[in-house]
Amino acid sequence: MAAQTGGKYQFLGRSGLSVSNICLGTMTFGKAPGGHPAFSSPTQLDETKAHEILDRYAALGGNFIDTANMYCFGQSEEIIGSWLTKQKRSNFVIATKCRAKMGDAPNDVGLGRRHIIQMCEDSLRRLQTDYIDLYQTHCWDYAVPLEETLRAFDDLVKAGKVRYIGVSNVNGWQMQKIVDTAKSLGISNVISLQQQYNLLCRHSEWEEFQVCRNEGLGVMVWSPLKGGMLTGKFQRGEKPEDSGSRIGHVHKNEKTAISSCPAWSWYAEDEGYWNLVEIMKKAAANHGKSVPQVALKWLLQKNVVSSVIIGVTSIKQLEDNMAAGEDWCLTQDEMTSLDQATALPSTYPYNQLERMNTGRSNPYLSLPFVENVFK
C-alpha cells in the first residue's frame, strides 16, 4: 500500500504532504444556474447541508478537501471558503483545479499563463485563504505549450500562493511528458495525479499509474463508486428512476450521462457487472461491511493510491464511506476475486511485456511493471 504517516493519513506520493486516505470531494456542493447537467441533480447540497458534511468529515479526522473552480461555477469553492473561515486553516489540505471555461471571453478557458494566474486569484478569493495546498490542472490542454503551463504553476509556488502542483485526467504519454518537462526546466514538479479509477474503470493501470509508480507520484482516485454503480443498491431488472440517486436522475435523461455518472443502460444487461456485484456483496458479508466500503477498500489496498475521493450527499453516506479507511483489509483471495472479475483484456504490447518480464526484477531499480501496481 501507499506510504503511511500513521493511522488514516498517508503521504501524497513522495512529497512531505500528509493527507487523509479518504478525501472529501465537493462537486455536490452548490447548484449551477441554468440547470447545467453536471450540477443539476436533486442530490446537490446547499451551503447549510454542505457545512454539516464538512463538520462531520473534520470530526471523523478528515483533513483533505478537493474541489475545482468549475464545480457549480465557483459555488463549491465559496461554500468551502465560508466554512474554512471558522476553522484552523493549517489543519486542512485544500485542493482545487483550473482549466475549464469560466467566462465568455477568449482567455476564460485553458492552461495559458493568463488564465491560470487569474483562476488562482479567483479561487483564493472564493476559498477565503491566502494559499492553495494542491493546485491541479483539470485536464490536458492541446492549445497551450506545456512549458507555459508548468512555468505559470511554478511562479504561483514561488509567490507562495500554491504549495504543491498536481494534474488530472491525462493519458500515459502526457503524464510522462509533464514529469520530464518539469525536470528539464528545473522547476516545481507535480506530486500527484487525480484520475478516475474504480472496479469498472481500470485502464489507467496500463500506462498512467506506471508513470506514477516509477516517478513517485501519488494517485488521487475520483469516482470510486462509478456514480453509484458500485454501491450494490440496484437490483437486476429494476430501473432506478425513483431511487433518489444520480443514476436515477440520469436514467430519466440519458443524454446527460458522463463517465463519472453513467447511464443505467450501460450495465443493466452486463453479466460481468452483476457477477462483480455478487462478489462485492459476499466480501461485504464476510467482514460485516457495506458494498461501498468494499469498493473503496479495494482501491485503498492498491499501492499506487494515496487517497480516495468520495462525493456524498448525507452524513450517513459520509460515515459509511469514511469507515472504509479504518484498519481492516480485504483478504488476498477477495482482492484476487475482484481483480479477476474486472480484469483488463490482455492485449499487446502489455501482454508481451508481462510475459517476457515474468520473474525478472532488480531491487535497485524502480519496482517492476505489473505486480506492484495491480496488487
Side-chain angles (χ1 to χ4, degrees):
M1 294 180 66
Q4 295 194 8
T5 62
K8 305 174 185 177
Y9 306 100
Q10 300 183 156
F11 289 115
L12 188 53
R14 63 180 179 186
S15 77
L17 188 64
S18 297
V19 298
S20 307
N21 58 9
I22 301 292
C23 173
L24 182 62
T26 60
M27 195 173 77
T28 57
F29 289 8
K31 194 163 186 176
H36 189 282
F39 311 114
S40 60
S41 167
T43 57
Q44 291 294 124
L45 303 175
D46 61 21
E47 182 173 86
T48 298
K49 292 181 179 178
H51 281 193
E52 291 174 357
I53 295 289
L54 286 162
D55 285 341
R56 186 57 180 150
Y57 175 70
L60 291 170
N63 80 332
F64 196 15
I65 301 168
D66 180 73
T67 186
N69 63 353
M70 70 167 288
Y71 292 171
C72 289
F73 301 100
Q75 287 184 40
S76 176
E77 289 184 330
E78 289 175 351
I79 289 171
I80 294 168
S82 63
W83 178 82
L84 199 58
T85 60
K86 297 176 284 187
Q87 316 300 319
K88 184 178 179 181
R89 173 65 179 89
S90 60
N91 286 348
F92 298 95
V93 176
I94 306 298
T96 191
K97 315 175 196 74
C98 72
R99 188 219 180 276
K101 184 176 178 61
M102 294 295 288
D104 296 326
N107 290 304
D108 287 342
V109 64
L111 292 176
R113 170 177 290 276
R114 172 172 166 167
H115 187 65
I116 290 170
I117 300 300
Q118 184 61 59
M119 291 304 97
C120 181
E121 296 290 351
D122 291 349
S123 289
L124 288 169
R125 172 178 49 80
R126 287 190 289 260
L127 290 166
Q128 299 190 54
T129 182
D130 54 8
Y131 68 94
I132 295 166
D133 294 283
L134 179 67
Y135 202 35
Q136 305 158 98
T137 61
H138 211 147
C139 188
W140 183 270
D141 187 347
Y142 287 108
V144 176
L146 178 59
E147 292 82 357
E148 178 178 342
T149 299
L150 293 177
R151 286 190 185 279
F153 271 76
D154 183 59
D155 286 345
L156 291 170
V157 172
K158 290 175 179 175
K161 296 180 179 182
V162 169
R163 298 292 190 258
Y164 295 93
I165 300 167
V167 297
S168 308
N169 305 313
V170 297
N171 61 31
W173 73 260
Q174 292 167 351
M175 187 73 258
Q176 190 65 61
K177 187 174 180 63
I178 289 166
V179 172
D180 291 344
T181 301
K183 287 180 180 178
S184 69
L185 294 175
I187 60 178
S188 301
N189 213 330
V190 299
I191 67 166
S192 61
L193 166 65
Q194 185 174 150
Q195 199 87 333
Q196 183 181 170
Y197 184 41
N198 54 59
L199 280 161
L200 295 173
C201 181
R202 297 180 57 186
H203 297 89
S204 291
E205 290 175 345
W206 289 123
E207 296 280 352
E208 298 89 321
F209 293 172
Q210 299 299 331
V211 177
C212 291
R213 188 66 188 88
N214 286 332
E215 301 291 346
L217 277 63
V219 170
M220 298 165 59
V221 174
W222 67 267
S223 194
L225 301 178
K226 195 62 173 179
M229 292 305 300
L230 294 172
T231 61
K233 70 164 76 172
F234 302 116
Q235 303 299 319
R236 188 194 294 259
E238 294 183 9
K239 296 181 180 180
E241 295 105 321
D242 301 321
S243 66
S245 65
R246 284 180 174 269
I247 295 295
H249 178 67
V250 170
H251 182 68
K252 297 176 182 178
N253 183 9
E254 291 200 353
K255 292 181 180 179
T256 66
I258 55 176
S259 181
S260 59
C261 192
W264 170 252
S265 61
W266 296 0
Y267 297 103
E269 303 300 326
D270 186 338
E271 288 299 321
Y273 167 73
W274 293 110
N275 177 57
L276 170 63
V277 171
E278 290 305 312
I279 294 172
M280 294 169 68
K281 287 180 176 179
K282 181 178 179 181
N286 290 344
H287 295 274
K289 302 294 182 180
S290 68
V291 171
Q293 288 171 350
V294 169
L296 295 171
K297 182 59 75 172
W298 178 82
L299 291 165
L300 289 167
Q301 288 183 219
K302 296 296 182 177
N303 66 12
V304 75
V305 173
S306 290
S307 190
V308 174
I309 304 170
I310 59 170
V312 300
T313 57
S314 70
I315 298 294
K316 182 179 179 181
Q317 282 183 329
L318 174 69
E319 292 176 341
D320 184 81
N321 286 186
M322 291 290 284
E326 300 292 343
D327 190 20
W328 65 278
C329 290
L330 296 170
T331 67
Q332 186 57 56
D333 285 345
E334 289 166 341
M335 289 293 290
T336 299
S337 294
L338 291 167
D339 286 341
Q340 291 177 346
T342 59
L344 295 167
S346 182
T347 185
Y348 179 85
Y350 309 108
N351 51 8
Q352 184 162 341
L353 285 166
E354 181 178 1
R355 175 174 55 82
M356 296 190 70
N357 282 281
T358 298
R360 184 168 177 78
S361 64
N362 185 332
Y364 296 99
L365 299 175
S366 298
L367 294 176
F369 173 61
V370 173
E371 63 186 25
N372 289 283
V373 172
F374 293 180
K375 294 183 180 179

